Amino acid sequence: MPPKLFYARPSSFSRRSKFLIFCLVIGLSGFILGFIVISRPNLGHKCEYNKPLSVSVTWDRSASSGGLGGSREVISDEGQKRYKVMGFVGIQTGFGSTGRRQALRKTWFPSDKGGLKRLEESTGLVFRFVIGRTSDKPKMSELKKEVAEYDDFLLLDIEEEYNKLPYKTIAFFKAAYALYDSDFYVKADDDIYLRPDRLSLLLAKERPHSQTYIGCMKKGPVFTDPKLKWYEPLSQLLGTEYFIHAYGPIYALSADVVASLVALRNNSFRIFSNEDVTIGSWILAMNVNHEDNRQLCEPVCTPSSIAVWDIPKCSGLCNPEKKMLELHEKDSCSKTSTLPSDDDD
């Protein structure tokens, strides 16, 4: 008779031990993961705002010997993808305006990336500080630190000089158009107090004209005295009075208007001394509707003011860093109140 074979069955103690060890490993892994999540509360939101908001725009000058005429813009950080928004607001600033930018970030312009994204989502508007470059290395170094800290810039590869503001403004519109598929492109200075929610409502209004130029429209004498701030060297071409155009501190151009500006060769059109006159002269040659809106140039806060600055005393707020904070404390400027209606043109 062949011998019988007997196989040992694992004891109940052995099975229980393996099961307990397995449970212990799973429990320990869960505890470690939970500890990491608790100790890093922003971990779950890490991906939401990790993409840089600031972007640099470089210019290919091989197509032109000077200026921006014929240049081709290259978006170095974002590629050529255009993002759809209702409005792109470029806050024009300079290397001597660090204090102004800080004052804005303490009032209507969020200082943190999350707050800026929430403002953009609630209004449909994108906000960036717009600045060029300088050969001053310490200034460029300080700018890089500010960009890294706040991440709210559009950086243009153009010399940042006061007498080159027309070129900077044109470069801004070209860059903004390349980056964003926007219904409106807004040029604003860094020394005005702005209500983004009211600006959003203004731009969202239905209009019969696809080519629209919105701003506080003005006419005035052409300054022929070289000693004056607004001196115009080409005054002989303009006569004694300027044509109608918007004040420079803030104005908006519809997408069709900006598309036409972008298509123009800058060196084939006349550049005047002042950027608002230059843009206004180019627009005058187009079939554009001039929309005069005085809520964009209020001298005091009102329940319907969109932009507040010291018109006509200053081309912005006379003491912007101090005045910005004072305005923000007023309910009619900082708090939700009566917004402009369709009849408030």
Side-chain angles (χ1 to χ4, degrees):
M1 173 182 295
K4 292 184 179 180
L5 300 178
F6 295 93
Y7 298 94
R9 297 175 58 189
S11 67
S12 59
F13 174 80
S14 176
R15 291 197 301 272
R16 283 197 302 271
S17 297
K18 292 180 179 179
F19 179 77
L20 289 174
I21 292 173
F22 175 78
C23 291
L24 181 61
V25 171
I26 295 298
L28 185 59
S29 300
F31 175 80
I32 294 173
L33 180 60
F35 178 79
I36 293 175
V37 171
I38 293 173
S39 62
R40 300 178 64 186
N42 294 325
L43 183 63
H45 302 282
K46 184 178 179 181
C47 297
E48 186 177 358
Y49 303 128
N50 65 344
K51 189 174 184 180
L53 299 180
S54 295
V55 61
S56 298
V57 179
T58 57
W59 306 94
D60 178 7
R61 295 181 177 80
S62 61
S64 174
S65 59
L68 293 174
S71 297
R72 178 174 61 89
E73 60 268 23
V74 180
I75 313 304
S76 60
D77 292 348
E78 294 282 352
Q80 293 297 323
K81 182 179 179 181
R82 298 176 77 217
Y83 296 90
K84 179 63 181 175
V85 295
M86 184 174 70
F88 184 95
V89 184
I91 310 298
Q92 312 297 306
T93 191
F95 287 94
S97 296
T98 304
R100 292 185 183 183
R101 292 192 292 275
Q102 293 297 349
L104 262 66
R105 293 188 183 109
K106 292 178 181 177
T107 56
W108 64 265
F109 195 117
S111 61
D112 64 292
K113 192 171 182 179
L116 183 57
K117 291 288 288 183
R118 288 190 293 272
L119 175 64
E120 294 175 351
E121 290 168 358
S122 65
T123 61
L125 308 177
V126 170
F127 298 88
R128 297 290 184 275
F129 287 110
V130 181
I131 194 170
R133 53 174 163 75
T134 178
S135 56
D136 189 319
K137 292 184 178 179
K139 288 183 178 180
M140 284 300 297
S141 178
E142 288 300 312
L143 176 63
K144 289 179 180 178
K145 293 178 183 177
E146 189 176 348
V147 172
E149 180 177 359
Y150 294 104
D151 194 17
D152 52 11
F153 282 88
L154 172 60
L155 307 169
L156 302 176
D157 182 21
I158 188 170
E159 195 72 22
E160 185 69 43
E161 293 181 15
Y162 183 80
N163 60 0
K164 291 184 178 180
L165 285 181
Y167 294 98
K168 178 184 176 182
T169 304
I170 295 165
F172 156 65
F173 282 119
K174 284 178 174 286
Y177 187 82
L179 284 167
Y180 289 90
D181 178 9
S182 180
D183 296 336
F184 280 92
Y185 298 86
V186 181
K187 180 263 176 184
D189 289 343
D190 62 3
D191 56 355
I192 66 172
Y193 188 90
L194 185 66
R195 278 294 299 259
D197 54 344
R198 295 175 185 172
L199 178 62
S200 175
L201 290 177
L202 173 65
L203 300 182
K205 289 170 57 176
E206 291 290 335
R207 292 176 172 84
H209 303 276
S210 63
Q211 296 191 95
T212 302
Y213 176 29
I214 308 173
C216 287
M217 300 299 164
K218 66 170 181 173
K219 284 186 176 182
V222 177
F223 296 128
T224 59
D225 186 351
K227 297 179 182 178
L228 297 176
K229 181 179 181 180
W230 309 116
Y231 167 62
E232 179 51 71
L234 300 176
S235 57
Q236 73 277 9
L237 300 176
L238 297 169
T240 59
E241 186 179 65
Y242 282 116
F243 43 83
I244 188 170
H245 63 284
Y247 278 102
I250 182 170
Y251 56 85
L253 305 179
S254 64
D256 284 357
V257 177
V258 175
S260 298
L261 290 179
V262 169
L264 296 176
R265 292 183 59 210
N266 301 347
N267 57 357
S268 65
F269 279 73
R270 197 174 303 280
I271 303 290
F272 292 101
S273 178
N274 301 308
E275 63 87 11
D276 54 351
V277 174
T278 299
I279 296 298
S281 68
W282 290 19
I283 289 176
L284 196 63
M286 304 178 192
N287 184 24
V288 172
N289 178 54
H290 290 61
E291 184 176 312
D292 185 19
N293 192 306
R294 311 316 287 186
Q295 295 166 344
L296 291 169
C297 54
E298 297 271 17
V300 295
C301 288
T302 70
S304 62
S305 55
I306 299 174
V308 179
W309 45 285
D310 292 317
I311 181 176
K313 188 164 50 173
C314 298
S315 58
L317 294 171
C318 293
N319 188 349
E321 296 177 28
K322 179 181 178 182
K323 192 71 175 290
M324 197 80 63
L325 299 175
E326 292 176 353
L327 290 172
H328 197 63
E329 294 176 356
K330 296 184 178 181
D331 288 350
S332 55
C333 268
S334 62
K335 301 294 192 300
T336 302
S337 55
T338 305
L339 299 178
S341 66
D342 290 345
D343 298 328
D344 292 332
D345 294 332

